[in-house]
Amino acid sequence: MKQTRFRSAALRAAAALAPLALLAAAAPPPASPSPGQIVEEAPAAHWTAIAASDLLVMDLAPDAAGKPRRVVIQLMPAPFSTGWTENIRKLVAARWWDNTAIVRVQDNYVVQWGDPDAEDDAKARPLPGGIAQVPESGYVVGLEAFAAAEEEGVSSDDSAGAAMAAAEAAAEQASRADQPNPWAGPDTYAKTLDFFRGWPIAGNDDGVWPVHCYGMVGVGRNLSPDTGSGAELYTVIGHAPRHLDRNIAVVGRVVEGIEHLSSLPRGTGELGFYEKPEERTVIRSVELASRLPETERPRLEYLESDSESFVRYAVARANRKDAFFNIPAGGADICNIPVPVRKISQ
Amino acid sequence: MKQTRFRSAALRAAAALAPLALLAAAAPPPASPSPGQIVEEAPAAHWTAIAASDLLVMDLAPDAAGKPRRVVIQLMPAPFSTGWTENIRKLVAARWWDNTAIVRVQDNYVVQWGDPDAEDDAKARPLPGGIAQVPESGYVVGLEAFAAAEEEGVSSDDSAGAAMAAAEAAAEQASRADQPNPWAGPDTYAKTLDFFRGWPIAGNDDGVWPVHCYGMVGVGRNLSPDTGSGAELYTVIGHAPRHLDRNIAVVGRVVEGIEHLSSLPRGTGELGFYEKPEERTVIRSVELASRLPETERPRLEYLESDSESFVRYAVARANRKDAFFNIPAGGADICNIPVPVRKISQ
């Protein structure tokens, strides 16, 4: 498991028998930098701050020891799932989630939250005005719309940004020349795979869609053709359920505090729903970071997926050559290349 | 998220506006059986009991509410990882794990357990006699050795078994004729994928190896060429870390009680190690089920991966056509086809 802090008793025993040979073998070989080292050494220009207006701050009731539990969710950028993210912005503006709850924890699948009384017409909390019913076509972005979105942000008036983008494109190309794109597949679920502004996406001849990796946030719904409003959300806490891609809207990802969700007790009811109200964890509030006082806002940045550092990181994840590994995989599935996100240091 | 128990408020609102149209849309279409239904309806002959001598019963200290926490691990069958599973049998016979602890919980990665004092030469608990140092070549089984292992258990003197195997092979072939093998890939990490007696395996021209899916148990180790003794173990609690395949020995899988591991608080030290001894969960005992009194043994069975039911289950996982899904994926990565394991009903 990477380098453990443990020296196993067997290794110690062997060292006692043959100390010289063992010491030689244990001396670190001239190893390539690990993915973590590449991320640590990435220049500041390769990191992009996440706008406070794209961050949901979800405060759960404190844990049994009284410790606060804050979960921060980054909303999916346009052109993906915009019908639902607009609904979510309306729900949070209305403080609709305050005093809702975590209602379901299914092992190796999802943690889900929303109105615990949603089933009960008499008690269900009404949605605020303006919540749209988004059509199923919203799960996939057409290729033309996606190409247009990709053009945005490299406009000619942003000369610094354009210069950086050009430099990075060159670096990326060089990096890829001696190393095939590590996340290109092959893949069971899509024809093409890529990253868009720090988000894993998949595509085929019809369009492009976000990928259900660990930590992604999606919209709970009823049977098709219902697509969910965005008032009931879940996050993935297990192996990527890629069969949900194009069947449910992905609207964001947990960028801080996922351990407050993934370590919750599993529900014992059907599909991991909690059977008793007292098993639920109360959500005290969900607020947009940009509406919090400046000092209380989470300040986070992600490693730009178009940057040279990200490509090097991905290549290293696909071809581990640090001292722990014997056999580099030669590739990495896209959910095994999590986009690095970290606190912005002052 | 499959069929949620919730009717969303938006759906209710729409129903109020257009009840007839909505009711028609909500009526379940003639859906194919879900993977869960196929498993439920599988005939008894498609299930295989797990031998008590292959089950480790790990009892953790009770939780804060005093509830017992039992984790059951099935050992990997030969010809895979036999050097390590033999070590593990010796360790459990010596009751080596009693009063060891869970020392590490890293989100979306692993839960790890062993001797918390392993680093401290003065306090580390000595291994029992006969623990072998297994060479790295043990990570992969050669194609000839694997073919020989596959022949075992379909011997001609077991006529009932042979007849069943033949019937199942025919059924499987028929099932595959109109549906390509759903777990065949394409795959980033291996040339071929299959199941062997209920275990996901991968292969290439050199050999065959077990796959690091959710819940698999592996052997913690130091830097290569150390391969670990088997005294320090981990289980996967996140997206399948397939880059560990062929780099660490997979020796088993958690078949019951994984929620007692996956929901533990995450460690705040490097790599998710607990920083304070009091954060660790004590392992009261690890014993082989066959050495427990008969009434206390876990009695489990798995859906035989060569059975027609398993193939139908896998096809259904790859091509969800139940009422929830719009777009079947057309395939499933092998870790998205977990082998069904259940209690044997009396």
Side-chain angles (χ1 to χ4, degrees), chain A residues 6 12 107 118 121 221-222 224 247 262 324 326, chain B residues 6 12 107 118 121 222 224 247 262 324 326:
Chain A
F6 289 80
R12 276 197 309 276
D107 198 66
D121 283 347
R221 65 166 172 85
N222 293 294
S224 164
N247 284 292
S262 57
F324 188 79
N326 305 303
Chain B
F6 289 79
R12 275 198 309 277
D107 198 66
D121 283 346
N222 292 293
S224 165
N247 285 292
S262 57
F324 188 79
N326 304 303

mmCIF file with all atom_site columns, all heavy atoms in Angstrom, chain A residues 6 12 107 118 121 221-222 224 247 262 324 326, chain B residues 6 12 107 118 121 222 224 247 262 324 326:
data_model
loop_
_atom_site.group_PDB
_atom_site.id
_atom_site.type_symbol
_atom_site.label_atom_id
_atom_site.label_alt_id
_atom_site.label_comp_id
_atom_site.label_asym_id
_atom_site.label_entity_id
_atom_site.label_seq_id
_atom_site.pdbx_PDB_ins_code
_atom_site.Cartn_x
_atom_site.Cartn_y
_atom_site.Cartn_z
_atom_site.occupancy
_atom_site.B_iso_or_equiv
_atom_site.pdbx_formal_charge
_atom_site.auth_seq_id
_atom_site.auth_comp_id
_atom_site.auth_asym_id
_atom_site.auth_atom_id
_atom_site.pdbx_PDB_model_num
ATOM 1   N N   . PHE A 1 6   ? 5.334   0.468  8.090   1.00 0.00 ? 6   PHE A N   1
ATOM 2   C CA  . PHE A 1 6   ? 5.710   -0.739 8.797   1.00 0.00 ? 6   PHE A CA  1
ATOM 3   C C   . PHE A 1 6   ? 6.895   -1.406 8.148   1.00 0.00 ? 6   PHE A C   1
ATOM 4   O O   . PHE A 1 6   ? 6.974   -1.482 6.935   1.00 0.00 ? 6   PHE A O   1
ATOM 5   C CB  . PHE A 1 6   ? 4.546   -1.727 8.793   1.00 0.00 ? 6   PHE A CB  1
ATOM 6   C CG  . PHE A 1 6   ? 3.424   -1.288 9.660   1.00 0.00 ? 6   PHE A CG  1
ATOM 7   C CD1 . PHE A 1 6   ? 2.522   -0.338 9.215   1.00 0.00 ? 6   PHE A CD1 1
ATOM 8   C CD2 . PHE A 1 6   ? 3.282   -1.804 10.925  1.00 0.00 ? 6   PHE A CD2 1
ATOM 9   C CE1 . PHE A 1 6   ? 1.498   0.077  10.012  1.00 0.00 ? 6   PHE A CE1 1
ATOM 10  C CE2 . PHE A 1 6   ? 2.245   -1.395 11.732  1.00 0.00 ? 6   PHE A CE2 1
ATOM 11  C CZ  . PHE A 1 6   ? 1.346   -0.449 11.282  1.00 0.00 ? 6   PHE A CZ  1
ATOM 12  N N   . ARG A 1 12  ? 12.263  -7.943 8.929   1.00 0.00 ? 12  ARG A N   1
ATOM 13  C CA  . ARG A 1 12  ? 13.269  -7.799 9.981   1.00 0.00 ? 12  ARG A CA  1
ATOM 14  C C   . ARG A 1 12  ? 14.001  -9.103 10.206  1.00 0.00 ? 12  ARG A C   1
ATOM 15  O O   . ARG A 1 12  ? 15.209  -9.134 10.365  1.00 0.00 ? 12  ARG A O   1
ATOM 16  C CB  . ARG A 1 12  ? 12.610  -7.339 11.286  1.00 0.00 ? 12  ARG A CB  1
ATOM 17  C CG  . ARG A 1 12  ? 12.420  -5.844 11.387  1.00 0.00 ? 12  ARG A CG  1
ATOM 18  C CD  . ARG A 1 12  ? 12.165  -5.440 12.830  1.00 0.00 ? 12  ARG A CD  1
ATOM 19  N NE  . ARG A 1 12  ? 11.100  -6.254 13.404  1.00 0.00 ? 12  ARG A NE  1
ATOM 20  C CZ  . ARG A 1 12  ? 9.808   -5.990 13.262  1.00 0.00 ? 12  ARG A CZ  1
ATOM 21  N NH1 . ARG A 1 12  ? 9.422   -4.934 12.574  1.00 0.00 ? 12  ARG A NH1 1
ATOM 22  N NH2 . ARG A 1 12  ? 8.914   -6.771 13.803  1.00 0.00 ? 12  ARG A NH2 1
ATOM 23  N N   . ASP A 1 107 ? -23.358 0.702  1.239   1.00 0.00 ? 107 ASP A N   1
ATOM 24  C CA  . ASP A 1 107 ? -21.932 0.405  1.117   1.00 0.00 ? 107 ASP A CA  1
ATOM 25  C C   . ASP A 1 107 ? -21.541 0.173  -0.343  1.00 0.00 ? 107 ASP A C   1
ATOM 26  O O   . ASP A 1 107 ? -22.287 -0.430 -1.113  1.00 0.00 ? 107 ASP A O   1
ATOM 27  C CB  . ASP A 1 107 ? -21.572 -0.837 1.939   1.00 0.00 ? 107 ASP A CB  1
ATOM 28  C CG  . ASP A 1 107 ? -20.078 -0.916 2.200   1.00 0.00 ? 107 ASP A CG  1
ATOM 29  O OD1 . ASP A 1 107 ? -19.562 -0.036 2.911   1.00 0.00 ? 107 ASP A OD1 1
ATOM 30  O OD2 . ASP A 1 107 ? -19.417 -1.825 1.672   1.00 0.00 ? 107 ASP A OD2 1
ATOM 31  N N   . ALA A 1 118 ? -40.080 13.379 2.213   1.00 0.00 ? 118 ALA A N   1
ATOM 32  C CA  . ALA A 1 118 ? -40.474 13.587 0.814   1.00 0.00 ? 118 ALA A CA  1
ATOM 33  C C   . ALA A 1 118 ? -41.580 12.633 0.372   1.00 0.00 ? 118 ALA A C   1
ATOM 34  O O   . ALA A 1 118 ? -42.368 12.953 -0.517  1.00 0.00 ? 118 ALA A O   1
ATOM 35  C CB  . ALA A 1 118 ? -39.252 13.428 -0.100  1.00 0.00 ? 118 ALA A CB  1
ATOM 36  N N   . ASP A 1 121 ? -46.926 13.179 1.532   1.00 0.00 ? 121 ASP A N   1
ATOM 37  C CA  . ASP A 1 121 ? -47.468 14.383 0.901   1.00 0.00 ? 121 ASP A CA  1
ATOM 38  C C   . ASP A 1 121 ? -47.835 15.455 1.927   1.00 0.00 ? 121 ASP A C   1
ATOM 39  O O   . ASP A 1 121 ? -47.733 16.654 1.651   1.00 0.00 ? 121 ASP A O   1
ATOM 40  C CB  . ASP A 1 121 ? -48.715 14.029 0.069   1.00 0.00 ? 121 ASP A CB  1
ATOM 41  C CG  . ASP A 1 121 ? -48.318 13.378 -1.258  1.00 0.00 ? 121 ASP A CG  1
ATOM 42  O OD1 . ASP A 1 121 ? -47.117 13.435 -1.603  1.00 0.00 ? 121 ASP A OD1 1
ATOM 43  O OD2 . ASP A 1 121 ? -49.192 12.802 -1.920  1.00 0.00 ? 121 ASP A OD2 1
ATOM 44  N N   . ARG A 1 221 ? -33.571 10.403 -8.373  1.00 0.00 ? 221 ARG A N   1
ATOM 45  C CA  . ARG A 1 221 ? -34.795 10.550 -9.164  1.00 0.00 ? 221 ARG A CA  1
ATOM 46  C C   . ARG A 1 221 ? -35.646 9.300  -9.030  1.00 0.00 ? 221 ARG A C   1
ATOM 47  O O   . ARG A 1 221 ? -35.210 8.278  -8.509  1.00 0.00 ? 221 ARG A O   1
ATOM 48  C CB  . ARG A 1 221 ? -34.455 10.787 -10.634 1.00 0.00 ? 221 ARG A CB  1
ATOM 49  C CG  . ARG A 1 221 ? -33.759 9.606  -11.326 1.00 0.00 ? 221 ARG A CG  1
ATOM 50  C CD  . ARG A 1 221 ? -33.774 9.802  -12.832 1.00 0.00 ? 221 ARG A CD  1
ATOM 51  N NE  . ARG A 1 221 ? -32.980 8.847  -13.574 1.00 0.00 ? 221 ARG A NE  1
ATOM 52  C CZ  . ARG A 1 221 ? -33.403 7.648  -13.961 1.00 0.00 ? 221 ARG A CZ  1
ATOM 53  N NH1 . ARG A 1 221 ? -34.598 7.215  -13.606 1.00 0.00 ? 221 ARG A NH1 1
ATOM 54  N NH2 . ARG A 1 221 ? -32.620 6.848  -14.665 1.00 0.00 ? 221 ARG A NH2 1
ATOM 55  N N   . ASN A 1 222 ? -36.857 9.378  -9.547  1.00 0.00 ? 222 ASN A N   1
ATOM 56  C CA  . ASN A 1 222 ? -37.730 8.220  -9.636  1.00 0.00 ? 222 ASN A CA  1
ATOM 57  C C   . ASN A 1 222 ? -37.523 7.542  -10.978 1.00 0.00 ? 222 ASN A C   1
ATOM 58  O O   . ASN A 1 222 ? -36.564 7.845  -11.697 1.00 0.00 ? 222 ASN A O   1
ATOM 59  C CB  . ASN A 1 222 ? -39.177 8.664  -9.453  1.00 0.00 ? 222 ASN A CB  1
ATOM 60  C CG  . ASN A 1 222 ? -39.418 9.158  -8.044  1.00 0.00 ? 222 ASN A CG  1
ATOM 61  O OD1 . ASN A 1 222 ? -39.350 8.383  -7.102  1.00 0.00 ? 222 ASN A OD1 1
ATOM 62  N ND2 . ASN A 1 222 ? -39.666 10.451 -7.900  1.00 0.00 ? 222 ASN A ND2 1
ATOM 63  N N   . SER A 1 224 ? -37.572 6.582  -14.803 1.00 0.00 ? 224 SER A N   1
ATOM 64  C CA  . SER A 1 224 ? -37.638 7.327  -16.052 1.00 0.00 ? 224 SER A CA  1
ATOM 65  C C   . SER A 1 224 ? -39.101 7.421  -16.485 1.00 0.00 ? 224 SER A C   1
ATOM 66  O O   . SER A 1 224 ? -39.843 6.465  -16.321 1.00 0.00 ? 224 SER A O   1
ATOM 67  C CB  . SER A 1 224 ? -36.813 6.563  -17.093 1.00 0.00 ? 224 SER A CB  1
ATOM 68  O OG  . SER A 1 224 ? -37.105 7.006  -18.384 1.00 0.00 ? 224 SER A OG  1
ATOM 69  N N   . ASN A 1 247 ? -27.644 8.135  -17.372 1.00 0.00 ? 247 ASN A N   1
ATOM 70  C CA  . ASN A 1 247 ? -28.943 7.745  -16.822 1.00 0.00 ? 247 ASN A CA  1
ATOM 71  C C   . ASN A 1 247 ? -29.352 8.621  -15.645 1.00 0.00 ? 247 ASN A C   1
ATOM 72  O O   . ASN A 1 247 ? -30.504 8.571  -15.203 1.00 0.00 ? 247 ASN A O   1
ATOM 73  C CB  . ASN A 1 247 ? -28.914 6.282  -16.376 1.00 0.00 ? 247 ASN A CB  1
ATOM 74  C CG  . ASN A 1 247 ? -28.984 5.327  -17.555 1.00 0.00 ? 247 ASN A CG  1
ATOM 75  O OD1 . ASN A 1 247 ? -30.006 5.257  -18.220 1.00 0.00 ? 247 ASN A OD1 1
ATOM 76  N ND2 . ASN A 1 247 ? -27.902 4.622  -17.828 1.00 0.00 ? 247 ASN A ND2 1
ATOM 77  N N   . SER A 1 262 ? -18.623 9.323  3.788   1.00 0.00 ? 262 SER A N   1
ATOM 78  C CA  . SER A 1 262 ? -18.263 7.937  3.474   1.00 0.00 ? 262 SER A CA  1
ATOM 79  C C   . SER A 1 262 ? -18.110 7.073  4.711   1.00 0.00 ? 262 SER A C   1
ATOM 80  O O   . SER A 1 262 ? -18.208 5.853  4.623   1.00 0.00 ? 262 SER A O   1
ATOM 81  C CB  . SER A 1 262 ? -16.968 7.899  2.649   1.00 0.00 ? 262 SER A CB  1
ATOM 82  O OG  . SER A 1 262 ? -15.920 8.551  3.337   1.00 0.00 ? 262 SER A OG  1
ATOM 83  N N   . PHE A 1 324 ? 7.979   1.586  -4.894  1.00 0.00 ? 324 PHE A N   1
ATOM 84  C CA  . PHE A 1 324 ? 7.061   0.558  -4.410  1.00 0.00 ? 324 PHE A CA  1
ATOM 85  C C   . PHE A 1 324 ? 6.667   -0.429 -5.505  1.00 0.00 ? 324 PHE A C   1
ATOM 86  O O   . PHE A 1 324 ? 6.386   -1.586 -5.244  1.00 0.00 ? 324 PHE A O   1
ATOM 87  C CB  . PHE A 1 324 ? 5.803   1.211  -3.828  1.00 0.00 ? 324 PHE A CB  1
ATOM 88  C CG  . PHE A 1 324 ? 4.895   0.238  -3.144  1.00 0.00 ? 324 PHE A CG  1
ATOM 89  C CD1 . PHE A 1 324 ? 5.174   -0.207 -1.866  1.00 0.00 ? 324 PHE A CD1 1
ATOM 90  C CD2 . PHE A 1 324 ? 3.766   -0.250 -3.793  1.00 0.00 ? 324 PHE A CD2 1
ATOM 91  C CE1 . PHE A 1 324 ? 4.348   -1.105 -1.231  1.00 0.00 ? 324 PHE A CE1 1
ATOM 92  C CE2 . PHE A 1 324 ? 2.926   -1.160 -3.163  1.00 0.00 ? 324 PHE A CE2 1
ATOM 93  C CZ  . PHE A 1 324 ? 3.224   -1.586 -1.877  1.00 0.00 ? 324 PHE A CZ  1
ATOM 94  N N   . ASN A 1 326 ? 6.564   -2.773 -8.964  1.00 0.00 ? 326 ASN A N   1
ATOM 95  C CA  . ASN A 1 326 ? 7.349   -3.634 -9.841  1.00 0.00 ? 326 ASN A CA  1
ATOM 96  C C   . ASN A 1 326 ? 6.882   -3.518 -11.269 1.00 0.00 ? 326 ASN A C   1
ATOM 97  O O   . ASN A 1 326 ? 7.671   -3.466 -12.195 1.00 0.00 ? 326 ASN A O   1
ATOM 98  C CB  . ASN A 1 326 ? 7.173   -5.102 -9.440  1.00 0.00 ? 326 ASN A CB  1
ATOM 99  C CG  . ASN A 1 326 ? 7.514   -5.330 -7.996  1.00 0.00 ? 326 ASN A CG  1
ATOM 100 O OD1 . ASN A 1 326 ? 8.619   -5.032 -7.572  1.00 0.00 ? 326 ASN A OD1 1
ATOM 101 N ND2 . ASN A 1 326 ? 6.557   -5.828 -7.227  1.00 0.00 ? 326 ASN A ND2 1
ATOM 102 N N   . PHE B 1 6   ? -38.387 7.608  -2.823  1.00 0.00 ? 6   PHE B N   1
ATOM 103 C CA  . PHE B 1 6   ? -38.932 8.950  -2.807  1.00 0.00 ? 6   PHE B CA  1
ATOM 104 C C   . PHE B 1 6   ? -39.704 9.248  -4.074  1.00 0.00 ? 6   PHE B C   1
ATOM 105 O O   . PHE B 1 6   ? -39.276 8.864  -5.153  1.00 0.00 ? 6   PHE B O   1
ATOM 106 C CB  . PHE B 1 6   ? -37.799 9.967  -2.702  1.00 0.00 ? 6   PHE B CB  1
ATOM 107 C CG  . PHE B 1 6   ? -37.151 9.962  -1.365  1.00 0.00 ? 6   PHE B CG  1
ATOM 108 C CD1 . PHE B 1 6   ? -36.235 8.985  -1.036  1.00 0.00 ? 6   PHE B CD1 1
ATOM 109 C CD2 . PHE B 1 6   ? -37.474 10.914 -0.427  1.00 0.00 ? 6   PHE B CD2 1
ATOM 110 C CE1 . PHE B 1 6   ? -35.649 8.966  0.210   1.00 0.00 ? 6   PHE B CE1 1
ATOM 111 C CE2 . PHE B 1 6   ? -36.886 10.905 0.810   1.00 0.00 ? 6   PHE B CE2 1
ATOM 112 C CZ  . PHE B 1 6   ? -35.968 9.923  1.137   1.00 0.00 ? 6   PHE B CZ  1
ATOM 113 N N   . ARG B 1 12  ? -44.494 15.135 -7.947  1.00 0.00 ? 12  ARG B N   1
ATOM 114 C CA  . ARG B 1 12  ? -45.837 15.273 -7.384  1.00 0.00 ? 12  ARG B CA  1
ATOM 115 C C   . ARG B 1 12  ? -46.530 16.502 -7.952  1.00 0.00 ? 12  ARG B C   1
ATOM 116 O O   . ARG B 1 12  ? -47.705 16.476 -8.294  1.00 0.00 ? 12  ARG B O   1
ATOM 117 C CB  . ARG B 1 12  ? -45.780 15.385 -5.855  1.00 0.00 ? 12  ARG B CB  1
ATOM 118 C CG  . ARG B 1 12  ? -45.740 14.049 -5.155  1.00 0.00 ? 12  ARG B CG  1
ATOM 119 C CD  . ARG B 1 12  ? -46.120 14.222 -3.698  1.00 0.00 ? 12  ARG B CD  1
ATOM 120 N NE  . ARG B 1 12  ? -45.337 15.275 -3.075  1.00 0.00 ? 12  ARG B NE  1
ATOM 121 C CZ  . ARG B 1 12  ? -44.123 15.098 -2.595  1.00 0.00 ? 12  ARG B CZ  1
ATOM 122 N NH1 . ARG B 1 12  ? -43.566 13.904 -2.633  1.00 0.00 ? 12  ARG B NH1 1
ATOM 123 N NH2 . ARG B 1 12  ? -43.467 16.081 -2.054  1.00 0.00 ? 12  ARG B NH2 1
ATOM 124 N N   . ASP B 1 107 ? -9.412  7.100  2.994   1.00 0.00 ? 107 ASP B N   1
ATOM 125 C CA  . ASP B 1 107 ? -10.643 7.215  2.210   1.00 0.00 ? 107 ASP B CA  1
ATOM 126 C C   . ASP B 1 107 ? -10.400 6.861  0.744   1.00 0.00 ? 107 ASP B C   1
ATOM 127 O O   . ASP B 1 107 ? -9.364  7.195  0.168   1.00 0.00 ? 107 ASP B O   1
ATOM 128 C CB  . ASP B 1 107 ? -11.209 8.640  2.315   1.00 0.00 ? 107 ASP B CB  1
ATOM 129 C CG  . ASP B 1 107 ? -12.668 8.668  1.904   1.00 0.00 ? 107 ASP B CG  1
ATOM 130 O OD1 . ASP B 1 107 ? -13.493 8.055  2.608   1.00 0.00 ? 107 ASP B OD1 1
ATOM 131 O OD2 . ASP B 1 107 ? -12.981 9.264  0.851   1.00 0.00 ? 107 ASP B OD2 1
ATOM 132 N N   . ALA B 1 118 ? 4.453   -2.990 15.101  1.00 0.00 ? 118 ALA B N   1
ATOM 133 C CA  . ALA B 1 118 ? 5.354   -3.654 14.156  1.00 0.00 ? 118 ALA B CA  1
ATOM 134 C C   . ALA B 1 118 ? 6.620   -2.841 13.888  1.00 0.00 ? 118 ALA B C   1
ATOM 135 O O   . ALA B 1 118 ? 7.673   -3.400 13.576  1.00 0.00 ? 118 ALA B O   1
ATOM 136 C CB  . ALA B 1 118 ? 4.624   -3.940 12.841  1.00 0.00 ? 118 ALA B CB  1
ATOM 137 N N   . ASP B 1 121 ? 10.991  -2.524 17.197  1.00 0.00 ? 121 ASP B N   1
ATOM 138 C CA  . ASP B 1 121 ? 11.634  -3.832 17.312  1.00 0.00 ? 121 ASP B CA  1
ATOM 139 C C   . ASP B 1 121 ? 11.477  -4.429 18.705  1.00 0.00 ? 121 ASP B C   1
ATOM 140 O O   . ASP B 1 121 ? 11.378  -5.644 18.862  1.00 0.00 ? 121 ASP B O   1
ATOM 141 C CB  . ASP B 1 121 ? 13.128  -3.717 16.964  1.00 0.00 ? 121 ASP B CB  1
ATOM 142 C CG  . ASP B 1 121 ? 13.333  -3.623 15.457  1.00 0.00 ? 121 ASP B CG  1
ATOM 143 O OD1 . ASP B 1 121 ? 12.370  -3.905 14.722  1.00 0.00 ? 121 ASP B OD1 1
ATOM 144 O OD2 . ASP B 1 121 ? 14.444  -3.263 15.029  1.00 0.00 ? 121 ASP B OD2 1
ATOM 145 N N   . ASN B 1 222 ? 6.556   -3.801 2.478   1.00 0.00 ? 222 ASN B N   1
ATOM 146 C CA  . ASN B 1 222 ? 7.474   -2.685 2.332   1.00 0.00 ? 222 ASN B CA  1
ATOM 147 C C   . ASN B 1 222 ? 7.854   -2.561 0.858   1.00 0.00 ? 222 ASN B C   1
ATOM 148 O O   . ASN B 1 222 ? 7.227   -3.169 -0.008  1.00 0.00 ? 222 ASN B O   1
ATOM 149 C CB  . ASN B 1 222 ? 8.692   -2.928 3.216   1.00 0.00 ? 222 ASN B CB  1
ATOM 150 C CG  . ASN B 1 222 ? 8.304   -2.848 4.685   1.00 0.00 ? 222 ASN B CG  1
ATOM 151 O OD1 . ASN B 1 222 ? 7.947   -1.790 5.169   1.00 0.00 ? 222 ASN B OD1 1
ATOM 152 N ND2 . ASN B 1 222 ? 8.324   -3.982 5.369   1.00 0.00 ? 222 ASN B ND2 1
ATOM 153 N N   . SER B 1 224 ? 9.512   -3.037 -2.710  1.00 0.00 ? 224 SER B N   1
ATOM 154 C CA  . SER B 1 224 ? 9.996   -4.190 -3.462  1.00 0.00 ? 224 SER B CA  1
ATOM 155 C C   . SER B 1 224 ? 11.496  -4.340 -3.199  1.00 0.00 ? 224 SER B C   1
ATOM 156 O O   . SER B 1 224 ? 12.201  -3.334 -3.115  1.00 0.00 ? 224 SER B O   1
ATOM 157 C CB  . SER B 1 224 ? 9.726   -3.934 -4.948  1.00 0.00 ? 224 SER B CB  1
ATOM 158 O OG  . SER B 1 224 ? 10.444  -4.823 -5.749  1.00 0.00 ? 224 SER B OG  1
ATOM 159 N N   . ASN B 1 247 ? 1.350   -6.213 -8.254  1.00 0.00 ? 247 ASN B N   1
ATOM 160 C CA  . ASN B 1 247 ? 2.347   -5.549 -7.412  1.00 0.00 ? 247 ASN B CA  1
ATOM 161 C C   . ASN B 1 247 ? 2.176   -5.898 -5.937  1.00 0.00 ? 247 ASN B C   1
ATOM 162 O O   . ASN B 1 247 ? 3.045   -5.595 -5.122  1.00 0.00 ? 247 ASN B O   1
ATOM 163 C CB  . ASN B 1 247 ? 2.266   -4.026 -7.582  1.00 0.00 ? 247 ASN B CB  1
ATOM 164 C CG  . ASN B 1 247 ? 2.872   -3.572 -8.902  1.00 0.00 ? 247 ASN B CG  1
ATOM 165 O OD1 . ASN B 1 247 ? 4.074   -3.670 -9.086  1.00 0.00 ? 247 ASN B OD1 1
ATOM 166 N ND2 . ASN B 1 247 ? 2.042   -3.116 -9.829  1.00 0.00 ? 247 ASN B ND2 1
ATOM 167 N N   . SER B 1 262 ? -15.432 -0.367 6.390   1.00 0.00 ? 262 SER B N   1
ATOM 168 C CA  . SER B 1 262 ? -15.531 0.775  5.471   1.00 0.00 ? 262 SER B CA  1
ATOM 169 C C   . SER B 1 262 ? -16.101 2.016  6.147   1.00 0.00 ? 262 SER B C   1
ATOM 170 O O   . SER B 1 262 ? -15.885 3.128  5.667   1.00 0.00 ? 262 SER B O   1
ATOM 171 C CB  . SER B 1 262 ? -16.376 0.407  4.250   1.00 0.00 ? 262 SER B CB  1
ATOM 172 O OG  . SER B 1 262 ? -17.664 -0.030 4.642   1.00 0.00 ? 262 SER B OG  1
ATOM 173 N N   . PHE B 1 324 ? -35.666 1.591  -14.356 1.00 0.00 ? 324 PHE B N   1
ATOM 174 C CA  . PHE B 1 324 ? -34.937 2.794  -13.969 1.00 0.00 ? 324 PHE B CA  1
ATOM 175 C C   . PHE B 1 324 ? -34.045 3.334  -15.080 1.00 0.00 ? 324 PHE B C   1
ATOM 176 O O   . PHE B 1 324 ? -33.802 4.533  -15.167 1.00 0.00 ? 324 PHE B O   1
ATOM 177 C CB  . PHE B 1 324 ? -34.078 2.502  -12.728 1.00 0.00 ? 324 PHE B CB  1
ATOM 178 C CG  . PHE B 1 324 ? -33.434 3.716  -12.147 1.00 0.00 ? 324 PHE B CG  1
ATOM 179 C CD1 . PHE B 1 324 ? -34.153 4.581  -11.341 1.00 0.00 ? 324 PHE B CD1 1
ATOM 180 C CD2 . PHE B 1 324 ? -32.107 4.015  -12.416 1.00 0.00 ? 324 PHE B CD2 1
ATOM 181 C CE1 . PHE B 1 324 ? -33.571 5.711  -10.810 1.00 0.00 ? 324 PHE B CE1 1
ATOM 182 C CE2 . PHE B 1 324 ? -31.516 5.151  -11.891 1.00 0.00 ? 324 PHE B CE2 1
ATOM 183 C CZ  . PHE B 1 324 ? -32.248 6.001  -11.078 1.00 0.00 ? 324 PHE B CZ  1
ATOM 184 N N   . ASN B 1 326 ? -32.386 4.256  -18.810 1.00 0.00 ? 326 ASN B N   1
ATOM 185 C CA  . ASN B 1 326 ? -32.684 4.680  -20.175 1.00 0.00 ? 326 ASN B CA  1
ATOM 186 C C   . ASN B 1 326 ? -31.701 4.086  -21.161 1.00 0.00 ? 326 ASN B C   1
ATOM 187 O O   . ASN B 1 326 ? -32.065 3.651  -22.237 1.00 0.00 ? 326 ASN B O   1
ATOM 188 C CB  . ASN B 1 326 ? -32.573 6.203  -20.298 1.00 0.00 ? 326 ASN B CB  1
ATOM 189 C CG  . ASN B 1 326 ? -33.451 6.915  -19.310 1.00 0.00 ? 326 ASN B CG  1
ATOM 190 O OD1 . ASN B 1 326 ? -34.652 6.690  -19.293 1.00 0.00 ? 326 ASN B OD1 1
ATOM 191 N ND2 . ASN B 1 326 ? -32.862 7.743  -18.460 1.00 0.00 ? 326 ASN B ND2 1
#
